[in-house]
Amino acid sequence: MKTAPAICRKKMRYRSKETAEAAAQGAFVRAALKLRVYRCQLCRDYHLTSRTKGMKTPSYEFQQLRPQ
Ligand SMILES: [Zn+2]
């Protein structure tokens, strides 16, 4: 995914994919926000995006959707 420099500077940066995924999962659990992790070409760190089209659905979203 391409990120504009202005967007990159504004966004939260995560040093590892694991940290970014944990943050995305936290947002989903707390606020039902569906976020996806992607590697930024500019800073080489990870950002979260709310654009989910064409992105793989993380396992925790399936778990939340399953009836208890
Ligand atoms: Zn970036």
Side-chain angles (χ1 to χ4, degrees):
M1 180 178 298
K2 264 194 179 171
T3 306
I7 305 276
C8 175
R9 278 198 299 273
K10 257 198 318 199
K11 279 187 176 233
M12 269 294 277
R13 262 182 217 167
Y14 300 93
R15 296 298 298 173
S16 75
K17 195 165 189 277
E18 287 70 30
T19 313
E21 278 170 352
Q25 182 166 359
F28 181 71
V29 170
R30 286 193 315 270
L33 287 171
K34 291 186 177 184
L35 302 172
R36 295 292 177 271
V37 175
Y38 69 97
R39 187 87 190 267
C40 181
Q41 310 255 316
L42 293 170
C43 64
R44 304 281 169 189
D45 285 341
Y46 295 89
H47 296 304
L48 300 180
T49 179
S50 55
R51 286 218 259 155
T52 60
K53 208 180 169 190
M55 304 278 237
K56 190 174 160 277
T57 303
S59 57
Y60 59 79
E61 284 188 10
F62 287 124
Q63 281 157 22
Q64 290 283 320
L65 294 171
R66 222 183 285 152
Q68 297 297 310

XYZ file of all heavy atoms in Angstrom:
554
model
N 0.842 -1.204 0.000
C 0.000 0.000 0.000
C 0.878 1.256 0.000
O 1.853 1.333 0.722
C -0.898 -0.012 1.233
C -1.803 1.207 1.309
S -2.884 1.178 2.716
C -3.823 -0.311 2.362
N 0.492 2.232 -0.778
C 1.241 3.488 -0.848
C 0.750 4.462 0.211
O -0.438 4.607 0.423
C 1.067 4.120 -2.232
C 2.186 3.778 -3.175
C 2.112 4.711 -4.369
C 3.240 4.430 -5.345
N 3.077 5.158 -6.597
N 1.650 5.110 0.858
C 1.293 6.088 1.871
C 1.925 7.425 1.519
O 3.115 7.498 1.223
C 1.797 5.642 3.264
O 1.311 4.341 3.531
C 1.329 6.589 4.348
N 1.132 8.477 1.567
C 1.667 9.812 1.335
C 2.494 10.223 2.545
O 2.152 9.879 3.667
C 0.526 10.795 1.116
N 3.580 10.974 2.343
C 4.437 11.383 3.459
C 3.678 12.072 4.589
O 3.962 11.835 5.758
C 5.425 12.350 2.802
C 5.494 11.897 1.388
C 4.119 11.378 1.046
N 2.694 12.895 4.256
C 1.917 13.602 5.276
C 1.122 12.614 6.124
O 0.977 12.788 7.336
C 0.987 14.613 4.635
N 0.601 11.596 5.488
C -0.164 10.565 6.193
C 0.774 9.778 7.108
O 0.457 9.518 8.265
C -0.827 9.589 5.181
C -1.678 10.343 4.176
C -1.595 8.498 5.899
C -3.072 10.682 4.598
N 1.899 9.437 6.575
C 2.886 8.664 7.330
C 3.270 9.386 8.621
O 3.334 8.789 9.676
C 4.108 8.405 6.462
S 5.454 7.573 7.325
N 3.512 10.671 8.531
C 3.931 11.444 9.707
C 2.832 11.519 10.755
O 3.108 11.553 11.944
C 4.341 12.861 9.290
C 5.766 12.947 8.760
C 6.269 14.369 8.766
N 5.461 15.236 7.910
C 5.679 15.410 6.593
N 6.665 14.778 6.006
N 4.912 16.202 5.889
N 1.572 11.565 10.282
C 0.440 11.712 11.184
C 0.067 10.419 11.901
O -0.452 10.426 12.992
C -0.787 12.194 10.385
C -1.073 13.657 10.576
C -2.489 14.051 10.161
C -3.009 13.421 8.867
N -4.144 14.147 8.300
N 0.308 9.309 11.218
C -0.149 8.020 11.731
C 0.738 7.476 12.842
O 1.928 7.776 12.907
C -0.177 6.994 10.581
C -1.404 7.095 9.726
C -1.423 5.938 8.741
C -2.709 5.966 7.932
N -3.402 4.686 7.974
N 0.108 6.651 13.664
C 0.857 5.897 14.659
C 1.794 4.937 13.939
O 1.422 4.344 12.939
C -0.117 5.059 15.506
C -0.627 5.748 16.743
S 0.666 6.064 17.966
C 0.733 4.497 18.808
N 2.989 4.823 14.472
C 3.952 3.887 13.895
C 4.209 2.742 14.853
O 4.326 2.950 16.049
C 5.284 4.591 13.673
C 5.467 5.070 12.276
C 6.835 5.707 12.155
N 6.730 6.855 11.271
C 7.670 7.771 11.157
N 8.761 7.698 11.880
N 7.510 8.761 10.312
N 4.285 1.568 14.307
C 4.589 0.398 15.125
C 5.857 -0.255 14.605
O 5.990 -0.470 13.402
C 3.423 -0.594 15.092
C 2.144 0.019 15.617
C 1.243 0.613 14.736
C 1.862 0.023 16.973
C 0.072 1.210 15.213
C 0.704 0.603 17.456
C -0.191 1.196 16.565
O -1.331 1.778 17.031
N 6.753 -0.534 15.519
C 8.050 -1.095 15.136
C 7.942 -2.525 14.654
O 8.755 -2.989 13.874
C 9.031 -1.027 16.314
C 9.364 0.376 16.758
C 10.042 1.188 15.679
N 11.329 0.605 15.286
C 12.066 1.028 14.270
N 11.641 2.040 13.542
N 13.203 0.463 13.983
N 6.951 -3.238 15.156
C 6.801 -4.633 14.733
C 5.362 -4.914 14.322
O 4.426 -4.234 14.752
C 7.212 -5.590 15.860
O 6.211 -5.624 16.848
N 5.219 -5.927 13.494
C 3.907 -6.342 13.015
C 3.065 -6.814 14.192
O 1.869 -6.547 14.249
C 4.120 -7.489 12.015
C 2.935 -7.806 11.154
C 3.381 -8.687 9.987
C 2.260 -8.851 8.985
N 1.319 -9.921 9.397
N 3.700 -7.491 15.138
C 2.991 -8.026 16.302
C 2.369 -6.899 17.126
O 1.223 -6.998 17.558
C 3.951 -8.842 17.181
C 4.352 -10.194 16.596
C 5.256 -10.088 15.376
O 6.025 -9.099 15.289
O 5.189 -10.967 14.508
N 3.133 -5.845 17.346
C 2.637 -4.702 18.114
C 1.470 -4.042 17.394
O 0.460 -3.688 18.003
C 3.757 -3.656 18.311
O 4.937 -4.326 18.722
C 3.368 -2.625 19.345
N 1.605 -3.880 16.088
C 0.550 -3.259 15.287
C -0.717 -4.104 15.319
O -1.827 -3.584 15.461
C 1.035 -3.075 13.853
N -0.549 -5.416 15.234
C -1.705 -6.311 15.251
C -2.394 -6.284 16.610
O -3.619 -6.343 16.700
C -1.276 -7.746 14.888
C -1.161 -7.912 13.379
C -0.503 -9.228 12.983
O -0.006 -9.953 13.860
O -0.477 -9.504 11.769
N -1.609 -6.186 17.659
C -2.180 -6.109 19.004
C -3.004 -4.824 19.148
O -4.077 -4.832 19.749
C -1.073 -6.161 20.045
N -2.497 -3.728 18.589
C -3.211 -2.452 18.639
C -4.503 -2.528 17.835
O -5.548 -2.022 18.256
C -2.315 -1.339 18.106
N -4.446 -3.165 16.684
C -5.630 -3.318 15.836
C -6.678 -4.168 16.548
O -7.868 -3.862 16.515
C -5.241 -3.958 14.503
N -6.218 -5.203 17.203
C -7.136 -6.079 17.926
C -7.774 -5.338 19.102
O -8.969 -5.458 19.345
C -6.398 -7.326 18.427
C -7.330 -8.299 19.150
C -6.709 -9.673 19.359
O -5.575 -9.917 18.946
N -7.426 -10.565 19.981
N -6.989 -4.538 19.793
C -7.496 -3.746 20.902
C -8.580 -2.787 20.446
O -9.606 -2.635 21.107
N -8.363 -2.146 19.294
C -9.336 -1.196 18.753
C -10.626 -1.912 18.368
O -11.724 -1.377 18.523
C -8.750 -0.481 17.539
N -10.471 -3.132 17.892
C -11.646 -3.902 17.493
C -12.473 -4.310 18.711
O -13.692 -4.196 18.720
C -11.213 -5.147 16.710
C -12.372 -5.981 16.232
C -13.183 -5.530 15.211
C -12.651 -7.197 16.820
C -14.261 -6.293 14.775
C -13.728 -7.962 16.390
C -14.534 -7.510 15.369
N -11.791 -4.767 19.736
C -12.468 -5.216 20.956
C -13.142 -4.040 21.666
O -14.280 -4.129 22.098
C -11.458 -5.929 21.899
C -12.068 -6.177 23.272
C -10.981 -7.235 21.272
N -12.438 -2.915 21.752
C -12.950 -1.755 22.481
C -13.985 -0.970 21.699
O -14.973 -0.510 22.243
C -11.812 -0.799 22.859
C -10.936 -1.287 23.993
C -10.048 -0.135 24.483
N -9.452 0.597 23.368
C -8.279 0.284 22.822
N -7.589 -0.738 23.274
N -7.794 0.980 21.825
N -13.735 -0.774 20.397
C -14.566 0.168 19.649
C -15.127 -0.406 18.350
O -15.662 0.328 17.530
C -13.750 1.414 19.341
N -14.991 -1.733 18.175
C -15.476 -2.399 16.970
C -14.883 -1.798 15.696
O -15.506 -1.807 14.639
C -17.000 -2.398 16.913
N -13.676 -1.257 15.832
C -12.995 -0.703 14.664
C -12.268 -1.821 13.937
O -11.504 -2.560 14.546
C -11.971 0.351 15.102
C -12.505 1.692 15.577
C -11.365 2.512 16.168
C -13.158 2.438 14.432
N -12.543 -1.913 12.655
C -11.869 -2.937 11.869
C -10.657 -2.316 11.189
O -10.789 -1.561 10.235
C -12.828 -3.543 10.843
C -13.904 -4.361 11.496
C -14.757 -5.065 10.473
C -15.789 -5.945 11.170
N -16.579 -6.715 10.217
N -9.501 -2.621 11.711
C -8.270 -2.046 11.190
C -7.362 -3.146 10.642
O -7.400 -4.278 11.097
C -7.539 -1.280 12.298
C -8.342 -0.149 12.955
C -7.588 0.400 14.150
C -8.630 0.956 11.958
N -6.567 -2.741 9.668
C -5.622 -3.689 9.088
C -4.210 -3.130 9.209
O -4.000 -1.918 9.099
C -5.922 -3.912 7.604
C -7.250 -4.571 7.345
C -7.262 -6.011 7.845
N -8.574 -6.624 7.643
C -9.565 -6.576 8.528
N -9.397 -5.952 9.662
N -10.709 -7.154 8.286
N -3.293 -4.037 9.391
C -1.895 -3.664 9.527
C -1.227 -3.700 8.158
O -1.475 -4.607 7.371
C -1.181 -4.672 10.462
C 0.310 -4.390 10.522
C -1.797 -4.634 11.853
N -0.436 -2.685 7.865
C 0.333 -2.741 6.629
C 1.715 -2.141 6.834
O 1.932 -1.302 7.699
C -0.408 -2.048 5.484
C -0.501 -0.543 5.623
C 0.415 0.291 4.971
C -1.491 0.031 6.400
C 0.335 1.666 5.091
C -1.573 1.408 6.525
C -0.666 2.212 5.869
O -0.732 3.567 5.992
N 2.644 -2.602 6.035
C 4.014 -2.120 6.094
C 4.109 -0.846 5.275
O 3.695 -0.811 4.121
C 4.940 -3.193 5.483
C 6.404 -2.900 5.624
C 6.880 -3.418 6.940
N 8.218 -2.978 7.271
C 9.311 -3.665 6.990
N 9.235 -4.816 6.382
N 10.495 -3.206 7.349
N 4.637 0.193 5.877
C 4.775 1.464 5.187
C 6.056 1.470 4.367
O 7.119 1.089 4.858
C 4.776 2.594 6.205
S 4.910 4.219 5.460
N 5.939 1.919 3.126
C 7.095 1.960 2.233
C 8.035 3.110 2.576
O 9.198 3.093 2.221
C 6.619 2.140 0.786
C 5.534 1.178 0.365
C 6.058 0.085 -0.543
O 6.829 0.363 -1.458
N 5.662 -1.135 -0.287
N 7.531 4.098 3.274
C 8.327 5.286 3.574
C 9.161 5.112 4.842
O 10.366 5.303 4.825
C 7.408 6.500 3.729
C 6.692 6.956 2.461
C 5.639 7.986 2.800
C 7.675 7.510 1.456
N 8.520 4.735 5.935
C 9.250 4.651 7.202
C 9.647 3.224 7.538
O 10.389 2.996 8.473
C 8.422 5.254 8.333
S 6.891 4.372 8.666
N 9.153 2.269 6.773
C 9.486 0.856 6.985
C 8.943 0.309 8.294
O 9.307 -0.777 8.712
C 11.011 0.621 6.922
C 11.655 1.099 5.637
C 11.443 0.126 4.520
N 11.823 0.698 3.229
C 11.569 0.094 2.075
N 10.956 -1.051 2.055
N 11.923 0.661 0.950
N 8.090 1.080 8.932
C 7.401 0.594 10.115
C 6.001 0.170 9.700
O 5.669 0.181 8.522
C 7.339 1.688 11.191
C 8.681 1.869 11.880
O 9.530 0.957 11.796
O 8.881 2.923 12.487
N 5.189 -0.136 10.695
C 3.834 -0.585 10.400
C 2.824 0.467 10.809
O 2.992 1.135 11.831
C 3.541 -1.902 11.124
C 4.405 -3.034 10.620
C 5.649 -3.274 11.191
C 3.996 -3.829 9.564
C 6.462 -4.303 10.717
C 4.794 -4.851 9.082
C 6.033 -5.081 9.659
O 6.834 -6.080 9.193
N 1.785 0.611 10.009
C 0.672 1.493 10.326
C -0.602 0.674 10.313
O -0.638 -0.442 9.814
C 0.509 2.596 9.267
C 1.644 3.549 9.168
N 2.120 4.283 10.219
C 2.404 3.912 8.099
C 3.122 5.044 9.805
N 3.315 4.836 8.525
N -1.661 1.307 10.824
C -2.980 0.693 10.745
C -3.816 1.483 9.754
O -3.682 2.697 9.645
C -3.667 0.727 12.115
C -2.942 -0.010 13.247
C -3.730 0.121 14.537
C -2.716 -1.460 12.907
N -4.667 0.778 9.045
C -5.568 1.443 8.115
C -6.974 0.905 8.303
O -7.152 -0.253 8.685
C -5.130 1.239 6.649
O -6.064 1.890 5.793
C -5.052 -0.231 6.280
N -7.956 1.758 8.049
C -9.346 1.303 8.150
C -9.847 0.797 6.803
O -10.979 0.356 6.682
C -10.231 2.438 8.662
O -10.071 3.568 7.844
N -8.988 0.878 5.812
C -9.368 0.337 4.499
C -9.149 -1.163 4.509
O -8.013 -1.635 4.515
C -8.532 0.991 3.412
C -8.985 2.417 3.171
C -8.934 2.744 1.708
N -7.761 3.503 1.385
C -7.175 3.543 0.186
N -7.559 2.869 -0.782
N -6.161 4.255 -0.075
N -10.233 -1.900 4.532
C -10.119 -3.348 4.697
C -10.291 -4.108 3.396
O -10.142 -5.315 3.358
C -11.166 -3.855 5.712
O -12.464 -3.520 5.221
C -10.961 -3.221 7.077
N -10.626 -3.381 2.346
C -10.898 -4.046 1.070
C -9.665 -4.792 0.561
O -8.579 -4.219 0.474
C -11.338 -3.005 0.045
C -12.252 -3.602 -1.023
C -12.672 -2.533 -2.020
C -13.339 -3.192 -3.217
N -13.551 -2.270 -4.313
N -9.863 -6.057 0.262
C -8.773 -6.855 -0.277
C -7.768 -7.317 0.764
O -6.792 -7.960 0.439
N -8.029 -6.956 2.021
C -7.133 -7.361 3.091
C -7.674 -8.619 3.766
O -8.879 -8.809 3.864
C -6.999 -6.244 4.135
C -6.549 -4.920 3.563
S -4.769 -4.849 3.347
C -4.390 -3.400 4.315
N -6.771 -9.403 4.268
C -7.145 -10.628 4.945
C -7.817 -10.292 6.277
O -7.350 -9.436 7.015
C -5.861 -11.430 5.193
C -6.061 -12.826 5.679
C -4.686 -13.519 5.716
C -4.724 -14.723 6.632
N -4.546 -14.387 8.043
N -8.913 -10.993 6.577
C -9.599 -10.770 7.850
C -8.827 -11.464 8.968
O -8.577 -12.654 8.894
C -11.036 -11.328 7.793
O -11.727 -10.704 6.711
C -11.790 -11.043 9.084
N -8.444 -10.708 9.990
C -7.700 -11.333 11.087
C -8.565 -12.313 11.865
O -9.797 -12.130 11.938
C -7.293 -10.147 11.976
C -7.795 -8.923 11.335
C -8.710 -9.299 10.221
N -7.948 -13.289 12.477
C -8.686 -14.358 13.154
C -9.550 -13.835 14.302
O -10.616 -14.366 14.562
C -7.726 -15.426 13.664
O -6.777 -14.837 14.527
N -9.093 -12.754 14.970
C -9.879 -12.273 16.109
C -11.227 -11.714 15.683
O -12.175 -11.722 16.449
C -9.092 -11.250 16.951
C -8.636 -10.011 16.201
C -9.517 -8.962 15.945
C -7.329 -9.895 15.767
C -9.095 -7.839 15.271
C -6.896 -8.770 15.088
C -7.786 -7.748 14.842
O -7.376 -6.638 14.163
N -11.331 -11.240 14.433
C -12.628 -10.735 13.970
C -13.617 -11.878 13.765
O -14.790 -11.761 14.059
C -12.457 -9.926 12.674
C -11.871 -8.556 12.955
C -11.858 -7.654 11.724
O -12.467 -8.007 10.705
O -11.208 -6.602 11.799
N -13.105 -12.997 13.296
C -13.958 -14.177 13.163
C -14.446 -14.647 14.539
O -15.595 -15.009 14.712
C -13.207 -15.337 12.492
C -12.989 -15.121 11.018
C -11.711 -15.153 10.482
C -14.064 -14.918 10.165
C -11.502 -14.977 9.124
C -13.859 -14.727 8.795
C -12.576 -14.752 8.277
N -13.539 -14.599 15.500
C -13.883 -15.048 16.847
C -14.986 -14.171 17.450
O -15.882 -14.676 18.090
C -12.646 -15.016 17.742
C -11.741 -16.214 17.502
C -10.295 -15.962 17.918
O -10.031 -15.086 18.720
N -9.374 -16.728 17.355
N -14.885 -12.851 17.209
C -15.880 -11.931 17.759
C -17.248 -12.152 17.107
O -18.257 -11.951 17.729
C -15.448 -10.484 17.531
C -14.262 -10.063 18.377
C -14.669 -9.779 19.809
O -15.700 -9.197 20.063
N -13.850 -10.194 20.769
N -17.253 -12.540 15.845
C -18.508 -12.696 15.122
C -19.216 -13.995 15.463
O -20.402 -14.128 15.260
C -18.240 -12.650 13.606
C -17.746 -11.305 13.070
C -17.306 -11.434 11.626
C -18.840 -10.245 13.181
N -18.471 -14.940 15.970
C -19.046 -16.238 16.316
C -20.025 -16.089 17.485
O -19.708 -15.438 18.463
C -17.922 -17.197 16.711
C -18.116 -18.588 16.134
C -17.030 -19.510 16.621
N -15.736 -19.291 15.975
C -14.568 -19.552 16.558
N -14.501 -20.008 17.775
N -13.448 -19.350 15.903
N -21.208 -16.690 17.373
C -22.149 -16.601 18.505
C -21.597 -17.316 19.739
O -20.981 -18.358 19.608
C -23.399 -17.305 17.994
C -23.080 -17.876 16.669
C -21.711 -17.475 16.272
N -21.853 -16.722 20.886
C -21.301 -17.296 22.129
C -22.115 -18.496 22.581
O -23.320 -18.479 22.530
C -21.317 -16.236 23.229
C -20.445 -15.033 22.926
C -18.959 -15.387 22.797
O -18.421 -16.057 23.686
N -18.304 -14.989 21.735
Zn 5.083 5.317 7.517
